[in-house]
Amino acid sequence: MSTLKVGAIRGVSASSDAITVANDGTCTANVTSVGGGQLSNRNKIINGEMVISQRGTSFTSTGNEYTVDRFQHQIGSSFNGDTTTTQTDDHPPGFKNSLKITPDSTQTPTGSENLALSTQLEGFDVQDFAHGSSAPKSMTLSFYAKSGSQNSNHVYSIQIRKYDASGNRKYVVKPFTVTTSWQRFSFTFTGDTATAIANVNTVGIQIVWQLACGPDDLVSETSTWITSTKFQGVSGMNNFMDNTSNEFFLTGVQFEVGSVATDFEHRSFGQELALCQRYYEENTCTWAGFTAAAQGNGSLQVDYKVAKRVTPTLSTKTAATSVQNLTSQNLGDATLDRFVVDTRINSSGYGRFYDLLAASDAEL
């Protein structure tokens, strides 16, 4: 609630005016934060509205695999997470896409087996939570989710795991109940004075939607940070893998400083793509060469659109087409900024290729 004064608006407990009105009618806003965080770049999540999917739009998975950009299909203890994940246009108002996952076979987790969706944040990007200090800040996670008709009213779990400089982990975990209607869920967790988040370009925070959890990993819900390396779900949660008609939809994921779930921060498509390309990028390479000798070699340097988090792993996603007299092609010499395609021309004396699609993977 705010207090209205002549020529000004001030919060009830505020010591200064938030908005002042001059005699000519112009306004000056002194607002610098929302819910304890900054006005822009509040959302730590990359691709939280599922608009970027460079690897494709449908993924059949049984193990650990990235699907829609920055979101991973994840299992624990060799569980058979036999599912299909898609980027779909089913969404709540104000959004365009969501991630949808459905089982392809029924499975029952035992022991420490798990099926989850997760996204991982670099330690560099979460230092403003100030964990491990005398004044740590709260963190608030919000997201939109819904179910199919078969698994309406299923209970699943949301787990936040944080890593310290030695790779030790602490977690908090809470249940949530999905229905066939889109809902916005919100969870706030107080800061931890005891343990800092690792200030590294590897994992600092991992956010996990636990959909199936074996009995050894079921615990009581907690808002207090507990030390454990395990994926944990809340006792009494349902098994998403108990029916092939089950569906889980997820979008609008936001993770921010403070105790308030602010309105979702939409970024432009270009901004979101560039953020994703720090971790994964695809490049179409075109090369043509000629040599008068019986055989010859050629190379093409390809610059990334965005510098990578670490030196990436290179792979050929789609083989070269329109190949003429080309005996070999290899991807190599990768750095944070570029890679090289090496080629060898056969005895006909010339060679070329078009549309070699190369993937550069620097995921967490």
Side-chain angles (χ1 to χ4, degrees), residues 8 29 53 68 72 84 101 124 144 172 221 226 250 268 275 311 332 345 349 351:
S53 195
V68 174
Q72 189 176 29
T84 294
I101 183 170
F124 286 158
Y144 292 84
V172 287
E221 64 177 271
I226 295 175
L250 178 67
S268 71
L275 290 171
T311 300
I345 300 169

Side-chain angles (χ1 to χ4, degrees), residues 32-347:
T32 58
S33 66
V34 175
Q38 64 266 30
L39 287 171
S40 61
N41 297 312
R42 302 188 313 279
N43 192 3
K44 306 292 185 184
I45 303 296
I46 297 174
N47 199 33
E49 51 189 324
M50 314 297 173
V51 293
I52 308 298
S53 195
Q54 297 180 84
R55 297 172 176 85
T57 56
S58 182
F59 310 87
T60 300
S61 306
T62 57
N64 297 323
E65 178 185 339
Y66 275 92
T67 58
V68 174
D69 274 56
R70 305 299 304 122
F71 284 82
Q72 189 176 29
H73 176 280
Q74 198 156 32
I75 62 165
S77 297
S78 301
F79 182 59
N80 181 11
D82 185 15
T83 60
T84 294
T85 303
T86 56
Q87 180 196 44
T88 178
D89 59 4
D90 191 331
H91 56 81
F95 293 85
K96 179 183 177 183
N97 296 107
S98 67
L99 180 155
K100 173 187 175 183
I101 183 170
T102 189
D104 292 330
S105 65
T106 58
Q107 307 288 337
T108 301
T110 61
S112 291
E113 293 179 333
N114 306 84
L115 170 70
L117 300 172
S118 74
T119 187
Q120 302 185 109
L121 309 179
E122 284 186 55
F124 286 158
D125 294 333
V126 290
Q127 294 306 304
D128 49 346
F129 287 112
H131 279 215
S133 74
S134 60
K137 298 177 183 177
S138 295
M139 51 180 61
T140 295
L141 171 70
S142 56
F143 57 89
Y144 292 84
K146 74 169 189 174
S147 70
S149 58
Q150 174 63 39
N151 59 319
S152 183
N153 293 310
H154 263 203
V155 178
Y156 303 124
S157 301
I158 183 69
Q159 182 187 24
I160 299 178
R161 309 169 81 214
K162 70 169 186 172
Y163 291 64
D164 69 12
S166 299
N168 300 314
R169 275 144 279 181
K170 282 186 168 182
Y171 77 88
V172 287
V173 63
K174 287 284 187 178
F176 65 98
T177 303
V178 289
T179 68
T180 56
S181 298
W182 283 105
Q183 300 176 73
R184 193 186 193 199
F185 297 90
S186 175
F187 302 90
T188 296
F189 302 98
T190 56
D192 178 20
T193 59
T195 307
I197 302 170
N199 186 24
V200 291
N201 70 340
T202 53
V203 181
I205 290 281
Q206 183 181 33
I207 300 172
V208 185
W209 289 261
Q210 297 281 5
L211 301 181
C213 201
D216 291 356
D217 286 349
L218 293 174
V219 295
S220 299
E221 64 177 271
T222 180
S223 297
T224 302
W225 293 93
I226 295 175
T227 300
S228 175
T229 60
K230 290 185 176 182
F231 289 106
Q232 309 276 192
V234 175
S235 296
M237 66 176 278
N238 292 95
N239 174 22
F240 177 70
M241 297 295 293
D242 67 5
N243 193 299
T244 56
S245 294
N246 292 344
E247 297 173 330
F248 179 71
F249 297 80
L250 178 67
T251 195
V253 183
Q254 182 149 296
F255 187 57
E256 57 193 308
V257 173
S259 57
V260 177
T262 64
D263 288 347
F264 183 82
E265 183 184 5
H266 296 274
R267 301 186 185 103
S268 71
F269 186 91
Q271 288 174 309
E272 209 72 82
L273 176 60
L275 290 171
C276 290
Q277 286 174 330
R278 173 169 167 79
Y279 304 92
Y280 181 84
E281 181 180 328
E282 294 182 354
N283 296 92
T284 300
C285 314
T286 301
W287 183 94
F290 175 82
T291 177
Q295 294 183 341
N297 299 320
S299 64
L300 170 69
Q301 178 174 302
V302 181
D303 295 324
Y304 302 128
K305 301 178 183 71
V306 174
K308 298 293 164 278
R309 179 185 67 88
V310 293
T311 300
T313 300
L314 302 176
S315 62
T316 300
K317 187 169 182 181
T318 302
T321 59
S322 301
V323 178
Q324 264 189 301
N325 304 312
L326 191 66
T327 57
S328 65
Q329 62 205 27
N330 299 291
L331 308 180
D333 298 325
T335 69
L336 299 180
D337 301 301
R338 54 98 179 136
F339 68 95
V340 172
V341 184
D342 291 315
T343 63
R344 183 169 181 80
I345 300 169
N346 72 6
S347 58

